[in-house]
Amino acid sequence: MANNPIVPLNELIAQFERLPGIGKKTAQRLAFSILEQPPERAEQFAAALLNARKKIHFCKVCQAFTDLDICSICDDAQRDKSVICVVAEPKDVMAFERTREYNGLYHVLHGVISPLDGIGPEQLRIKELMARLGSGEVTEIIMATNPTVEGEATASYLSRLIKPMNIKVTRLAYGIPVGGDLEYADEFTLARALEGRNEI
Amino acid sequence: MANNPIVPLNELIAQFERLPGIGKKTAQRLAFSILEQPPERAEQFAAALLNARKKIHFCKVCQAFTDLDICSICDDAQRDKSVICVVAEPKDVMAFERTREYNGLYHVLHGVISPLDGIGPEQLRIKELMARLGSGEVTEIIMATNPTVEGEATASYLSRLIKPMNIKVTRLAYGIPVGGDLEYADEFTLARALEGRNEI
């Protein structure tokens, strides 16, 4: 693209390239697809970008994305207010909602503790979580950070913080993925699956 | 995402999903990345979309994308005006420019003849090409449509149209790709490579 002298095209390609997982070739293909379609398409796309960014912010309570003051999950009288599932990112909330198996509330930390990246507890939405635990309504916190070193460290940090408040702290089960094959399970997963075995 | 009640987020995801090669999961990831970044990012992206779509149109001469009346290639006095390379899509022009080996002009057809898709010669920029050939300045037309059934049909249709004007019509060489392995070349490519063999 070094030879391409069309400045507005290069700017559009550069914007697509800044998206996660989009390389130079894909960015170019996406930019061309915008030019090949009617102008209304680009206008709708631009409006959706501005509208989403303007209207969506963090829920005052759980810190997930919402276009309301308090998100529809926190505001739902049908949901079990005694359990909070703590996740690292807003997208994790949607992953749990898709299971249709969880009826409690959520709390989004917006990251995990990672000293190498300069992220300590004070950079996460931890004090917002602690503020929710004071009323005595919450009886269980489910730690649902990813099973990485940072995710584990964050879970155990929070666990040490919360346990003295007489609230049960649990962790998602480790084990063989459903449909997974023993042969392809790594030794750590297999060891945890053995450790967490249940009577049938 | 059926459970996601955030309308502006769903609209943004839907816009990303309309891009070629972007599925539901990727669209969701891209939309979240917009929300996770400062508002200026979304504003720049929206501005780039609108600006590119507004300022970029087809070159009056070669029908490639440009933000000028006549594109910088057609307008370049250094380029060889006696050769025109005929391609199907604007992105093909960039592929040739990247080689830095071609110094002639281009003509973009904006598609290939494809009766099954209802695309006949009159839907392509063929009369614009013919209009360029009248002055006698052009002595060679290089057909550079893709080696598909439709690309071949388009090349031979144009060849029949142009040859009576005493202009040489050539086709890109077929053969083993550079760095390719004979073992993996299909029989058609190999047959064409044999047919087009050169003395060394």
Side-chain angles (χ1 to χ4, degrees):
Chain A
M1 297 295 303
N3 286 332
N4 164 22
I6 313 174
V7 175
L9 177 57
N10 287 339
E11 282 172 359
L12 183 57
I13 293 172
Q15 287 294 333
F16 274 115
E17 229 184 314
R18 288 178 62 184
L19 294 170
I22 303 290
K24 205 164 191 61
K25 278 226 161 172
T26 305
Q28 188 185 317
R29 187 165 49 81
L30 298 180
F32 273 113
S33 83
I34 294 291
L35 295 182
E36 281 157 5
Q37 286 179 27
E40 295 73 39
R41 174 77 184 81
E43 286 158 19
Q44 286 165 8
F45 198 160
L49 278 166
L50 295 175
N51 192 44
R53 196 61 192 80
K54 199 176 105 191
K55 293 208 183 135
I56 299 174
H57 42 80
F58 300 139
C59 168
K60 273 185 185 174
V61 179
C62 73
Q63 312 294 323
F65 286 129
T66 180
D67 54 345
L68 309 166
D69 241 25
I70 291 173
C71 79
S72 57
I73 294 174
C74 288
D75 207 35
D76 185 346
Q78 303 299 310
R79 301 202 60 136
D80 180 356
K81 306 248 186 296
S82 70
V83 193
I84 295 179
C85 176
V86 176
V87 296
E89 303 294 344
K91 64 174 185 295
D92 301 330
V93 171
M94 291 191 187
F96 276 102
E97 286 298 287
R98 276 196 295 270
T99 68
R100 296 169 191 268
E101 291 283 334
Y102 179 68
N103 195 39
L105 303 180
Y106 294 97
H107 192 86
V108 182
L109 296 173
H110 290 275
V112 285
I113 297 172
S114 174
L116 286 178
D117 302 314
I119 301 173
E122 60 288 350
Q123 267 84 46
L124 306 178
R125 309 289 170 115
I126 290 177
K127 61 175 189 299
E128 289 86 349
L129 173 62
M130 301 316 278
R132 296 173 69 181
L133 305 182
S135 70
E137 200 179 14
V138 178
T139 58
E140 182 180 355
I141 297 285
I142 304 172
M143 289 296 165
T145 50
N146 276 323
T148 58
V149 173
E150 291 84 5
E152 290 298 335
T154 308
S156 64
Y157 174 87
L158 285 175
S159 160
R160 280 196 305 274
L161 223 59
I162 296 166
K163 269 187 179 159
M165 304 172 84
N166 265 326
I167 295 171
K168 185 164 73 171
V169 181
T170 57
R171 185 88 179 95
L172 285 186
Y174 287 102
I176 314 296
V178 177
D181 192 317
L182 277 186
E183 194 184 346
Y184 299 112
D186 64 285
E187 62 267 38
F188 302 105
T189 303
L190 215 50
R192 294 295 195 98
L194 203 61
E195 200 180 301
R197 67 191 182 278
N198 301 303
E199 204 173 317
I200 50 172
Chain B
M1 298 295 303
N3 287 332
N4 164 22
I6 312 174
V7 176
L9 177 58
N10 287 338
E11 282 171 359
L12 184 58
I13 293 171
Q15 289 292 335
F16 274 115
E17 228 183 314
R18 287 179 62 183
L19 294 169
I22 303 291
K24 206 165 191 60
K25 276 225 161 170
T26 305
Q28 189 185 317
R29 186 166 50 81
L30 298 180
F32 273 113
S33 82
I34 294 291
L35 295 182
E36 281 156 6
Q37 287 179 27
E40 295 73 39
R41 174 78 184 81
E43 284 157 21
Q44 285 164 8
F45 198 161
L49 278 166
L50 295 175
N51 193 44
R53 197 60 191 82
K54 199 176 104 190
K55 293 209 183 132
I56 299 174
H57 43 80
F58 301 138
C59 168
K60 272 185 185 177
V61 179
C62 74
Q63 313 293 323
F65 286 128
T66 181
D67 54 346
L68 309 166
D69 240 25
I70 291 175
C71 80
S72 58
I73 294 175
C74 288
D75 207 33
D76 185 347
Q78 303 298 312
R79 302 204 56 137
D80 180 356
K81 304 246 187 296
S82 70
V83 193
I84 296 179
C85 177
V86 176
V87 297
E89 302 293 345
K91 65 175 183 297
D92 300 330
V93 171
M94 292 191 185
F96 276 101
E97 286 298 288
R98 276 195 296 269
T99 69
R100 297 169 191 267
E101 291 283 335
Y102 179 68
N103 195 38
L105 303 179
Y106 295 95
H107 191 85
V108 182
L109 296 173
H110 289 275
V112 284
I113 297 172
S114 175
L116 286 177
D117 302 315
I119 301 173
E122 60 287 348
Q123 268 84 49
L124 306 178
R125 308 288 169 116
I126 290 177
K127 61 175 187 298
E128 289 85 351
L129 173 61
M130 300 316 280
R132 297 174 69 182
L133 305 183
S135 70
E137 199 179 13
V138 177
T139 57
E140 182 180 356
I141 297 286
I142 303 172
M143 289 294 164
T145 50
N146 275 322
T148 58
V149 174
E150 291 83 4
E152 291 299 335
T154 308
S156 62
Y157 174 88
L158 285 175
S159 160
R160 279 197 305 274
L161 223 58
I162 296 167
K163 271 189 179 160
M165 302 170 86
N166 266 324
I167 295 171
K168 187 163 74 172
V169 181
T170 57
R171 185 87 178 95
L172 285 186
Y174 288 102
I176 313 296
V178 177
D181 193 316
L182 278 185
E183 195 184 345
Y184 299 112
D186 65 284
E187 62 267 39
F188 302 106
T189 302
L190 215 49
R192 293 294 197 100
L194 204 59
E195 200 180 301
R197 67 191 182 278
N198 302 303
E199 205 172 315
I200 50 171

